[in-house]
Amino acid sequence: MSANTELAAVPPAETALAVYSKPNGLDPWLDQVRAKVDEFKKVLPDLKTRKGREAYASMAHSIAKSKTALEAVGKEISAKQKEIPKLIDAERKRVWDTLEAWQKEVRKPLDDWQAAEDARVDKHNDAIQQIKDLAIFEAAPTSGHLANIIADLELLEIGDSWEEFLAEAAQVKDQTLIKLRALHTERARYEAEQAELIRLRAEAEAQAQRDRDAQIAREAEERTRREAEQRAQAEREAAARREQELLDQAAAAQRAAEQAARDAEAQAERQRLQLEQQAEQARLAAEQRAEQERQAAAKRAEQAAEQARADERRRADAAAAEIVRQQQAREADLEHKKQINRAALEAFIEGGMTEECAKQAITLIAQRKIPAISISY
């Protein structure tokens, strides 16, 4: 950079960056060139001569060399300046990485302690939440299931292992036990009521069935008896008519025989006895047929009663199935409402309300004690 041109020397290396980066910093060098240009123009060479023309060319060439030299210095400075950000960035990264490694080295014990502390706190919080979750059910639990949960929770020891969460864990355990015991009492009462209701319904249905069976049997027996008596009476009357006819015939024959001759009396008597025997046989046959008809009618009545009892049992089974279906529908509706109430409870709690306040709010809304507010099921 210290090489001279014919018109002006370039800026020295130690000041070149300051000269080129300063607005109008090269004016002194431009002034040097301009001074020599002005000096050249004071006495202009004669263009008609070769020497004069060469003088013009020489001066222009000198200016070009100054221009090239100054441009070269500026370009070299610019190229070096472009390398500086890369060097700075590399050094910045090296220092950053080194200090960050030292920072992590120094902070590692604290971070390890904090991680262990967070795990310990999370473990206690999870255990407390598990106790709370014991009182939350997707479906209505049985009293037996609740009794087992209560027994297990009562055995849960709340001791020094809970550390600073001891008081909270003890309070949550007591609150959860209160909820579970209340729910156990409610479910036990409900199950007892349902069992009693089913028992009473079964007894009522059984008594009604017995009454119906007895009534059907009495009606069938009475109907069979009347029919048998009617048929027996008809048979007796027919037998009596036939017997009377035979007796009439016998009497007529006897009278004819008496009028005809005494010697025919014995024959007439035999005929009378024969006719009486036939009449007795006819009467006995009629009574036997009447008894057979009565037995057949009794059997038909028994079959009709059995069919009636079977029909009644089917109707009772259908009624019982309908009762079970209605009960299941009520339980499904109750579970549906519980799910909606539970979702509303969680929304209240997430909104900042305590669990007790949220439960009270849902209860009041469900009981329609809050004007213009309701829960859509």
Side-chain angles (χ1 to χ4, degrees), residues 331-372:
E331 290 179 354
D333 181 65
L334 177 60
E335 178 59 23
H336 174 68
K337 290 181 178 179
K338 284 185 176 180
Q339 290 179 356
I340 292 177
N341 289 344
R342 188 177 303 114
L345 174 66
E346 292 173 355
F348 276 135
I349 293 174
E350 290 178 0
M353 294 178 67
T354 65
E355 185 175 353
E356 294 300 325
C357 290
K359 287 184 176 180
Q360 182 65 20
I362 291 174
T363 300
L364 292 174
I365 293 173
Q367 293 176 352
R368 300 188 179 276
K369 293 183 178 180
I370 306 301

Side-chain angles (χ1 to χ4, degrees), residues 45-90:
D46 186 1
L47 291 174
K48 294 180 180 181
T49 65
R50 179 177 178 179
K51 183 179 180 180
R53 292 192 295 273
E54 289 178 352
Y56 275 103
S58 177
M59 175 55 71
H61 180 65
S62 296
I63 294 173
K65 290 177 67 177
S66 295
K67 177 184 70 173
T68 302
L70 291 172
E71 171 64 17
V73 172
K75 184 181 294 185
E76 183 180 357
I77 293 173
S78 177
K80 290 183 177 180
Q81 293 302 311
K82 290 179 180 178
E83 293 296 324
I84 291 175
K86 297 180 181 178
L87 297 175
I88 294 173
D89 289 343

